[in-house]
Amino acid sequence: MREYWLDVGAGVDAEHWAATPAPAYVCRVAMDPLLTSGMAASGRLAALPPDMRRVGGEIRPERSVEAGKAPSFLPFRSDVFTRVHCGFVLHLYLETLERLVDETHWVLLPSGELEVFIPHFGDVRSEQIIQRTTSQLEIRYGRVEVRRAAGPFTTFWADLYRDCTYRLVCRKEPSK
Ligand SMILES: C[S@@+](CC[C@H](N)C(=O)[O-])C[C@H]1O[C@@H](n2cnc3c(N)ncnc32)[C@H](O)[C@@H]1O
């Protein structure tokens, strides 16, 4: 039986999934708005293992602060992923938070896990981002585990922020 994992805001080279060991029955999807079909066709992107797919796409709320950008959602059906990862996106694009929470809950299978990485730079703004993210996740998912990330540090950003990253983990409620 196949299993699917999704990385939202994965970057063009999908470093996180590429560095995360996955059993043979897992298909990994790496989604990022920077990915275009022209870029994929150029042959200049890093080669990925055969079970991994790049997808161009983004999550974006109504009335985005970026002028001219249309609202957008995860282009997947409900209840399909067992794991969703989102690393180092929210501290830059906090407007996507509520949509990330809703959309990941939609695409996760019951008992599926969402993992979010957020750096904390020791300032009030970082504290607010982590607090707000935790609250929004709790509303939708219930319990949220918030801990300092212990590695492995799989991407450029994870390595850069290895001493100041928090890992937030929550699960979609199991089916009744
Ligand atoms: C700092 S990078 C982190 C990339 C990767 N997750 C990592 O750990 O290396 C932030 C990523 O978020 C993506 N991004 C920006 N806006 C986004 C949106 N509205 N929805 C999804 N991803 C977005 C960017 O294209 C970029 O690749």
Side-chain angles (χ1 to χ4, degrees):
M1 178 77 164
R2 273 200 186 165
E3 204 177 282
Y4 295 88
W5 298 354
L6 172 66
D7 187 345
V8 181
V12 289
D13 285 334
E15 284 178 280
H16 180 66
W17 282 154
T20 304
Y25 55 81
V26 170
C27 297
R28 293 168 286 179
V29 179
M31 189 184 106
D32 198 279
L34 295 177
L35 288 165
T36 61
S37 49
M39 192 184 268
S42 73
R44 289 168 183 270
L45 297 177
L48 297 180
D51 68 293
M52 279 183 60
R53 289 289 178 276
R54 291 180 167 96
V55 173
E58 65 180 6
I59 45 170
R60 189 170 292 280
E62 309 284 337
R63 294 176 289 283
S64 171
V65 294
E66 283 190 58
K69 295 278 191 170
S72 193
F73 50 86
L74 292 179
F76 308 104
R77 70 168 172 78
S78 65
D79 297 355
V80 69
F81 293 98
T82 50
R83 286 176 73 175
V84 177
H85 172 83
C86 180
F88 308 102
V89 174
L90 289 176
H91 70 296
L92 297 173
Y93 310 102
L94 189 59
E95 69 163 8
T96 63
L97 171 61
E98 284 76 10
R99 188 136 290 198
L100 179 78
V101 172
D102 287 348
E103 290 288 305
T104 55
H105 194 270
W106 167 255
V107 301
L108 274 168
L109 274 162
S111 302
E113 179 185 282
L114 170 64
E115 174 186 67
V116 178
F117 285 173
I118 303 174
H120 192 311
F121 302 114
D123 55 13
V124 174
R125 172 82 179 144
S126 301
E127 189 61 32
Q128 286 169 343
I129 292 171
I130 291 181
Q131 296 278 348
R132 193 173 141 193
T133 303
T134 306
S135 308
Q136 288 301 315
L137 289 171
E138 280 172 348
I139 291 168
R140 180 59 97 164
Y141 284 87
R143 205 176 81 79
V144 181
E145 185 186 296
V146 184
R147 296 231 173 108
R148 280 292 283 270
F153 300 101
T154 50
T155 72
F156 170 86
W157 296 105
D159 195 34
L160 187 67
Y161 299 145
R162 60 167 55 223
D163 295 327
C164 63
T165 293
Y166 280 79
R167 178 175 182 262
L168 287 67
V169 178
C170 49
R171 280 182 190 281
K172 183 167 171 175
E173 63 280 9
S175 48
K176 304 248 162 53

